[in-house]
Amino acid sequence: MGMGWCIGLIAAGGILTFAVDWHADGVNVPLVGLILMAAGFLGLSAYVTVFKRRRMQPPPPAAPVVEEDHRFVR
């Protein structure tokens, strides 16, 4: 899931939890909204964690070791 989907789940869950006043038989609408918000927060945290891992730069390579040949020095 991308960041947009996660924010959309959080928004839809918030609307179902706090702004909807109707009731359906057999469905707890505020609970569905809380589940959607939880899924959105979990997805957002996973996305940010993976994105942060991708942005981290590897350490710079070590300087090459140059060995000099001292056999032919006069």
Side-chain angles (χ1 to χ4, degrees), residues 1-18 20 22 27-45:
M1 271 194 311
M3 189 179 292
W5 283 102
C6 295
I7 293 173
L9 280 177
I10 294 169
I15 289 171
L16 286 177
T17 302
F18 302 115
V20 173
W22 53 272
V27 177
N28 190 352
V29 178
L31 181 62
V32 171
L34 288 175
I35 292 171
L36 286 176
M37 287 192 329
F41 282 122
L42 286 174
L44 190 63
S45 65

